[in-house]
Amino acid sequence: MFDKLSVKDLQVAGKRVLVRVDFNVPVEDGKITDNTRIVRALPTLRYVLDEGGSLVVMSHLGRPGGLRSDEFSLKPVSQELSKLLGRDVIMAPDCTGEEVERICAALKPGDVVLLENLRFHEGEKANDPAFAAQLAKLGDEYVNDAFGACHRAHASVQGITAFHTGAMGLLVQKELEYFGKALSAPRKPFVAIVGGAKVHDKLPVLENLFDRVDTFLIGGGMCYTFLKAKGIEVGSSKLDEDNLEMAASTLRKAEKAGVEVRLPFDHVIADRFAADANIKTVEGAIPEGWIGLDIGPKTAEDFARLARSAGTLVWNGPLGVFEMEPFSKGSRLVAQAVSDCPGTSIIGGGDTASMIRANGLERKMSHISTGGGASLELLQGKTLPGVAAISDRH
């Protein structure tokens, strides 16, 4: 489905290899609180070094809005990367300019330089060809291993491929293999768990997967819009009035396509959005003044049973407000069942990945995506600009 050039197709010995990674990691008081994204990029970086190349590593961090700021500097990342690679990492003062060009020109095989935050320059998000050309000058080959940024048409992701043949890194390759197989040749039964709050983001996912998926399990904040569309009262739960008719239409299309859509039939509800609110479990309609904040125990058991039997399972979006303990049980029970699923389980990044990690189940999943937004767009059937820009394998 994605027959693209890989880093392993390049001759990197003696070359400076520009690698776009996604090192957009959480940093608090100059300390990285979760290094997962750095760790996931290591196979590509090590491959280039082992093959006798040098590395010019580039990434963004946060949203500095085109302005330099210590808060968004990649310095803490360079220290973490140095520790993980077991070698010195040169921290560049910027990502373009004469001094940076000098540093990169002097690299020898085995050397690593990390460029400063790409988003300190407006040209990155604007996909400015002049900025892309300046980045391209810093290396001989270009590799995109930033799956989490592949849905962005930015200079370091898309624009730079006007100046270099683009190849995918090993992480991007792995992501595309998992999603490609699920979308083109899934093992049956194919179960998709769709949660989270934003109905308008998820409706295109449902519609794109109708001809592939056997069963949709819908939870999270979005389920109340679907329940309301079926005429079931949802009290003061999160409701997307603008998409009510679209939700009703999606349910009709699913029925026509012979796809089963299962919605929660019991709910954990609260009288306000707080962990210490009054909480109870109800079946059917949610009373006025009460908010649905998690799927109920019977729904969780039903979803878990279906998840355990899946040949292919894709999960995008938690099933309740898992950050608050009283509303985390539904997601946790289903996550446990997914970890027992004999088929291929793909977790679509973002909050879902955080919830899986919080429950210590990451090693039991076939694949946890590093890109919430990118994986969502793939599931919606969209072409990712960063993937389209990678050269096809001829």
Side-chain angles (χ1 to χ4, degrees):
M1 190 178 179
F2 299 104
D3 198 19
K4 297 287 184 179
L5 208 61
S6 158
V7 62
K8 291 193 171 180
D9 297 318
L10 303 176
Q11 297 298 320
V12 300
K15 301 273 185 73
R16 286 172 298 154
V17 184
L18 271 162
V19 185
R20 173 57 157 105
V21 292
D22 180 11
F23 286 172
N24 185 24
V25 293
V27 180
E28 283 171 28
D29 303 322
K31 297 269 188 293
I32 293 165
T33 56
D34 181 356
N35 70 356
T36 305
R37 284 178 169 168
I38 305 174
V39 170
R40 297 288 290 275
L42 293 176
T44 297
L45 303 181
R46 287 193 179 123
Y47 174 80
V48 171
L49 295 170
D50 290 348
E51 291 294 310
S54 58
L55 286 168
V56 180
V57 184
M58 51 184 177
S59 178
H60 72 282
L61 178 66
R63 294 181 175 160
L67 301 167
R68 286 191 74 93
S69 106
D70 287 347
E71 183 193 348
F72 295 110
S73 171
L74 281 164
K75 276 189 190 122
V77 174
S78 73
Q79 291 154 6
E80 183 69 13
L81 183 61
S82 173
K83 205 163 73 186
L84 291 167
L85 284 175
R87 65 180 73 204
D88 288 342
V89 171
I90 302 160
M91 182 66 216
D94 202 343
C95 55
T96 58
E98 284 180 20
E99 193 181 346
V100 177
E101 285 173 29
R102 269 199 309 275
I103 292 168
C104 293
L107 293 177
K108 296 181 196 67
D111 287 349
V112 184
V113 62
L114 176 64
L115 304 183
E116 187 51 285
N117 194 339
L118 294 161
R119 288 192 185 170
F120 285 174
H121 295 261
E122 286 179 341
E124 165 64 357
K125 286 179 83 170
N127 201 4
D128 175 20
F131 181 67
Q134 286 182 297
L135 293 174
K137 273 203 290 195
L138 304 175
D140 308 307
E141 301 282 2
Y142 168 73
V143 173
N144 183 348
D145 209 27
F147 183 72
C150 275
H151 59 312
R152 308 278 187 217
H154 290 172
S156 65
V157 174
Q158 186 190 50
I160 196 167
T161 58
F163 307 94
H164 282 299
T165 298
M168 58 184 173
L170 302 177
L171 173 60
V172 166
Q173 189 172 347
K174 188 181 179 194
E175 296 269 11
L176 295 181
E177 278 169 4
Y178 271 101
F179 282 104
K181 201 167 176 197
L183 293 169
S184 61
R187 225 176 93 197
K188 296 286 193 172
F190 187 171
V191 176
I193 305 175
V194 186
K198 296 173 184 166
V199 178
H200 62 88
D201 282 353
K202 304 297 167 79
L203 287 173
V205 173
L206 302 186
E207 304 217 349
N208 184 49
L209 296 179
F210 276 160
D211 58 349
R212 301 173 177 90
V213 166
D214 299 295
T215 307
F216 281 108
L217 310 177
I218 298 180
M222 65 180 283
C223 76
Y224 306 109
T225 302
F226 280 93
L227 289 166
K228 184 78 172 173
K230 287 186 78 170
I232 297 165
E233 288 307 318
V234 295
S236 302
S237 306
K238 189 173 184 67
L239 190 61
D240 185 345
E241 301 270 4
D242 295 343
N243 283 294
L244 262 177
E245 183 40 50
M246 279 282 284
S249 157
T250 300
L251 290 170
R252 288 193 295 271
K253 284 180 193 166
E255 196 174 353
K256 206 171 168 186
V259 177
E260 186 181 24
V261 176
R262 291 179 95 88
L263 291 162
F265 46 87
D266 66 337
H267 311 271
V268 177
I269 62 174
D271 58 357
R272 59 196 172 85
F273 188 79
D276 60 351
N278 291 311
I279 297 164
K280 60 183 179 180
T281 301
V282 294
E283 291 190 26
I286 295 172
E288 196 49 58
W290 289 75
I291 313 163
L293 294 174
D294 192 13
I295 58 172
K298 289 182 179 172
T299 299
E301 280 295 346
D302 182 53
F303 283 15
R305 177 180 58 81
L306 289 157
R308 266 188 219 102
S309 67
T312 303
L313 185 140
V314 172
W315 187 349
N316 191 291
L319 302 174
V321 184
F322 76 95
E323 303 91 338
M324 293 185 192
E325 177 54 34
F327 315 116
S328 64
K329 293 186 183 73
S331 292
R332 194 184 310 140
L333 189 84
V334 175
Q336 192 63 57
V338 173
S339 77
D340 298 333
C341 148
T344 301
S345 51
I346 302 171
I347 308 300
D351 289 341
T352 323
S354 302
M355 183 271 298
I356 295 292
R357 283 195 194 97
N359 287 292
L361 295 170
E362 62 266 47
R363 291 186 188 279
K364 293 190 159 187
M365 305 297 165
S366 308
H367 180 64
I368 298 182
S369 179
T370 52
S375 65
L376 186 62
E377 291 197 11
L378 270 185
L379 294 173
Q380 289 170 347
K382 292 183 179 175
T383 300
L384 305 185
V387 173
I390 296 167
S391 304
D392 292 323
R393 186 184 271 131
H394 295 301

